[in-house]
Amino acid sequence: MRLLLVEDDPILGKQLQTSLQRAGYATDLATDGIEAEIQGKLEPYDLAILDLGLPKRNGLEILTHWRNAQINTPVIILTARGGWQDKVAGFNTGADDYVSKPFQIEELLARISAVLKRSMLNQASELHAAQFKLNEQTQTVIFGDGTQHNLTNVEFRLLRYFMLHPGHILSKSVLTEHVYEYDADKDSNVIEVYVNRLRQKIGSHLIQTRRGQGYVFGVSS
């Protein structure tokens, strides 16, 4: 999944970006409100983490502009402001959740996971397929007989995106946009390599190739 992190504190921003990347999220960092608003309009993010107190344009104004432009990316408000008025204003503007500083990264990760699952209409506490489940904390695939396979960071991102969109035709370009960060070398042909690696770990029948279209996860031939 690809996230937009909007945080003007250079130390906290880099720390959060690193933690989110380690958790398996492709994460772009924006440090001011104008940059953030533009990126949120141009790039297909799965979720945005938005600080309210930003230079050049505040978070509520950015969120208002996104929603007015019919950009429905899920948003978690991240701010040091603890007043209930800011929480209410955020929710009324279209925020999906709210985290107050200071916080533990585990809390933010739990809220990100919950918001993403709600946005994908998936209420399960874990991601499950017919024969296995995906442990998001350890980035492993666990089968019913107890067999486990560790995933690389990209494999984990790719499989999670497949599992959140079962039955959907997903093109290489769509997968590339949601698996890699903004400044990464986005070679869509590399997706084939990672799809083949996943097939070796979970079973080739679970990821079908639709020629000229892309891939479909979890639908039998």
Side-chain angles (χ1 to χ4, degrees), residues 52 60 79 81-93 98:
L52 291 188
L60 288 179
T79 181
R81 303 176 187 178
W84 64 267
Q85 295 93 338
D86 292 313
K87 296 180 183 180
V88 171
F91 286 129
N92 286 340
T93 305
Y98 192 104

mmCIF file of all heavy atoms in Angstrom, residues 52 60 79 81-93 98:
data_model
loop_
_atom_site.group_PDB
_atom_site.id
_atom_site.type_symbol
_atom_site.label_atom_id
_atom_site.label_comp_id
_atom_site.label_asym_id
_atom_site.label_seq_id
_atom_site.Cartn_x
_atom_site.Cartn_y
_atom_site.Cartn_z
ATOM 1 N N LEU A 52 -2.001 18.718 11.144
ATOM 2 C CA LEU A 52 -2.821 19.926 10.994
ATOM 3 C C LEU A 52 -1.986 21.200 10.944
ATOM 4 O O LEU A 52 -2.265 22.089 10.150
ATOM 5 C CB LEU A 52 -3.837 20.027 12.141
ATOM 6 C CG LEU A 52 -4.972 19.017 12.168
ATOM 7 C CD1 LEU A 52 -5.972 19.387 13.257
ATOM 8 C CD2 LEU A 52 -5.672 18.933 10.826
ATOM 9 N N LEU A 60 -6.428 21.125 7.758
ATOM 10 C CA LEU A 60 -7.876 21.150 7.521
ATOM 11 C C LEU A 60 -8.206 21.770 6.173
ATOM 12 O O LEU A 60 -9.126 21.326 5.480
ATOM 13 C CB LEU A 60 -8.575 21.910 8.649
ATOM 14 C CG LEU A 60 -8.636 21.206 10.009
ATOM 15 C CD1 LEU A 60 -9.329 22.103 11.030
ATOM 16 C CD2 LEU A 60 -9.348 19.861 9.910
ATOM 17 N N THR A 79 -1.686 15.307 14.853
ATOM 18 C CA THR A 79 -1.440 16.650 15.359
ATOM 19 C C THR A 79 -1.139 16.648 16.843
ATOM 20 O O THR A 79 -1.488 15.715 17.562
ATOM 21 C CB THR A 79 -2.661 17.567 15.096
ATOM 22 O OG1 THR A 79 -2.381 18.872 15.587
ATOM 23 C CG2 THR A 79 -3.898 17.009 15.762
ATOM 24 N N ARG A 81 -2.355 18.995 18.658
ATOM 25 C CA ARG A 81 -3.513 19.656 19.253
ATOM 26 C C ARG A 81 -4.420 18.617 19.909
ATOM 27 O O ARG A 81 -4.841 17.666 19.275
ATOM 28 C CB ARG A 81 -4.297 20.407 18.185
ATOM 29 C CG ARG A 81 -3.458 21.430 17.426
ATOM 30 C CD ARG A 81 -4.276 22.068 16.324
ATOM 31 N NE ARG A 81 -3.463 22.925 15.468
ATOM 32 C CZ ARG A 81 -3.932 23.564 14.406
ATOM 33 N NH1 ARG A 81 -5.196 23.450 14.069
ATOM 34 N NH2 ARG A 81 -3.130 24.320 13.678
ATOM 35 N N GLY A 82 -4.730 18.834 21.182
ATOM 36 C CA GLY A 82 -5.516 17.846 21.911
ATOM 37 C C GLY A 82 -6.959 18.227 22.132
ATOM 38 O O GLY A 82 -7.717 17.454 22.698
ATOM 39 N N GLY A 83 -7.359 19.426 21.709
ATOM 40 C CA GLY A 83 -8.716 19.884 21.973
ATOM 41 C C GLY A 83 -9.755 19.123 21.171
ATOM 42 O O GLY A 83 -9.524 18.730 20.031
ATOM 43 N N TRP A 84 -10.907 18.940 21.762
ATOM 44 C CA TRP A 84 -11.968 18.208 21.079
ATOM 45 C C TRP A 84 -12.464 18.955 19.849
ATOM 46 O O TRP A 84 -12.939 18.352 18.884
ATOM 47 C CB TRP A 84 -13.133 17.923 22.039
ATOM 48 C CG TRP A 84 -13.829 19.155 22.552
ATOM 49 C CD1 TRP A 84 -13.564 19.822 23.701
ATOM 50 C CD2 TRP A 84 -14.915 19.850 21.920
ATOM 51 N NE1 TRP A 84 -14.403 20.899 23.835
ATOM 52 C CE2 TRP A 84 -15.251 20.944 22.758
ATOM 53 C CE3 TRP A 84 -15.633 19.660 20.745
ATOM 54 C CZ2 TRP A 84 -16.261 21.840 22.434
ATOM 55 C CZ3 TRP A 84 -16.647 20.560 20.433
ATOM 56 C CH2 TRP A 84 -16.958 21.630 21.280
ATOM 57 N N GLN A 85 -12.310 20.307 19.857
ATOM 58 C CA GLN A 85 -12.774 21.072 18.710
ATOM 59 C C GLN A 85 -12.033 20.682 17.429
ATOM 60 O O GLN A 85 -12.629 20.594 16.351
ATOM 61 C CB GLN A 85 -12.603 22.577 18.952
ATOM 62 C CG GLN A 85 -13.464 23.131 20.079
ATOM 63 C CD GLN A 85 -12.731 23.147 21.408
ATOM 64 O OE1 GLN A 85 -11.755 22.407 21.600
ATOM 65 N NE2 GLN A 85 -13.188 23.989 22.328
ATOM 66 N N ASP A 86 -10.708 20.435 17.560
ATOM 67 C CA ASP A 86 -9.926 20.054 16.389
ATOM 68 C C ASP A 86 -10.324 18.672 15.887
ATOM 69 O O ASP A 86 -10.347 18.414 14.679
ATOM 70 C CB ASP A 86 -8.435 20.081 16.722
ATOM 71 C CG ASP A 86 -7.926 21.488 16.979
ATOM 72 O OD1 ASP A 86 -8.247 22.388 16.168
ATOM 73 O OD2 ASP A 86 -7.223 21.691 17.968
ATOM 74 N N LYS A 87 -10.634 17.766 16.827
ATOM 75 C CA LYS A 87 -11.072 16.437 16.418
ATOM 76 C C LYS A 87 -12.386 16.526 15.651
ATOM 77 O O LYS A 87 -12.544 15.913 14.593
ATOM 78 C CB LYS A 87 -11.235 15.541 17.641
ATOM 79 C CG LYS A 87 -9.937 15.271 18.392
ATOM 80 C CD LYS A 87 -10.202 14.376 19.591
ATOM 81 C CE LYS A 87 -8.925 14.150 20.394
ATOM 82 N NZ LYS A 87 -9.142 13.288 21.565
ATOM 83 N N VAL A 88 -13.332 17.283 16.193
ATOM 84 C CA VAL A 88 -14.637 17.427 15.545
ATOM 85 C C VAL A 88 -14.482 18.086 14.182
ATOM 86 O O VAL A 88 -15.081 17.649 13.185
ATOM 87 C CB VAL A 88 -15.599 18.239 16.431
ATOM 88 C CG1 VAL A 88 -16.881 18.574 15.669
ATOM 89 C CG2 VAL A 88 -15.921 17.463 17.697
ATOM 90 N N ALA A 89 -13.654 19.139 14.107
ATOM 91 C CA ALA A 89 -13.434 19.814 12.831
ATOM 92 C C ALA A 89 -12.827 18.868 11.804
ATOM 93 O O ALA A 89 -13.199 18.871 10.625
ATOM 94 C CB ALA A 89 -12.521 21.029 13.036
ATOM 95 N N GLY A 90 -11.884 18.024 12.251
ATOM 96 C CA GLY A 90 -11.271 17.063 11.340
ATOM 97 C C GLY A 90 -12.267 16.062 10.809
ATOM 98 O O GLY A 90 -12.329 15.804 9.601
ATOM 99 N N PHE A 91 -13.084 15.496 11.703
ATOM 100 C CA PHE A 91 -14.072 14.520 11.262
ATOM 101 C C PHE A 91 -15.120 15.165 10.357
ATOM 102 O O PHE A 91 -15.546 14.575 9.360
ATOM 103 C CB PHE A 91 -14.747 13.862 12.463
ATOM 104 C CG PHE A 91 -13.863 12.871 13.176
ATOM 105 C CD1 PHE A 91 -13.685 12.939 14.547
ATOM 106 C CD2 PHE A 91 -13.222 11.871 12.477
ATOM 107 C CE1 PHE A 91 -12.874 12.030 15.205
ATOM 108 C CE2 PHE A 91 -12.409 10.954 13.127
ATOM 109 C CZ PHE A 91 -12.232 11.033 14.489
ATOM 110 N N ASN A 92 -15.552 16.374 10.689
ATOM 111 C CA ASN A 92 -16.546 17.059 9.869
ATOM 112 C C ASN A 92 -16.003 17.411 8.491
ATOM 113 O O ASN A 92 -16.757 17.523 7.515
ATOM 114 C CB ASN A 92 -17.035 18.329 10.565
ATOM 115 C CG ASN A 92 -17.965 18.035 11.731
ATOM 116 O OD1 ASN A 92 -18.534 16.939 11.814
ATOM 117 N ND2 ASN A 92 -18.124 18.988 12.629
ATOM 118 N N THR A 93 -14.696 17.581 8.405
ATOM 119 C CA THR A 93 -14.083 17.915 7.119
ATOM 120 C C THR A 93 -13.876 16.678 6.263
ATOM 121 O O THR A 93 -13.712 16.783 5.045
ATOM 122 C CB THR A 93 -12.724 18.622 7.353
ATOM 123 O OG1 THR A 93 -12.942 19.755 8.199
ATOM 124 C CG2 THR A 93 -12.126 19.114 6.057
ATOM 125 N N TYR A 98 -8.048 9.859 13.905
ATOM 126 C CA TYR A 98 -7.339 10.951 14.559
ATOM 127 C C TYR A 98 -6.343 10.377 15.554
ATOM 128 O O TYR A 98 -6.686 9.515 16.351
ATOM 129 C CB TYR A 98 -8.368 11.818 15.299
ATOM 130 C CG TYR A 98 -7.885 13.145 15.805
ATOM 131 C CD1 TYR A 98 -8.228 14.307 15.156
ATOM 132 C CD2 TYR A 98 -7.115 13.240 16.965
ATOM 133 C CE1 TYR A 98 -7.806 15.543 15.629
ATOM 134 C CE2 TYR A 98 -6.684 14.463 17.441
ATOM 135 C CZ TYR A 98 -7.033 15.609 16.782
ATOM 136 O OH TYR A 98 -6.608 16.824 17.249
#
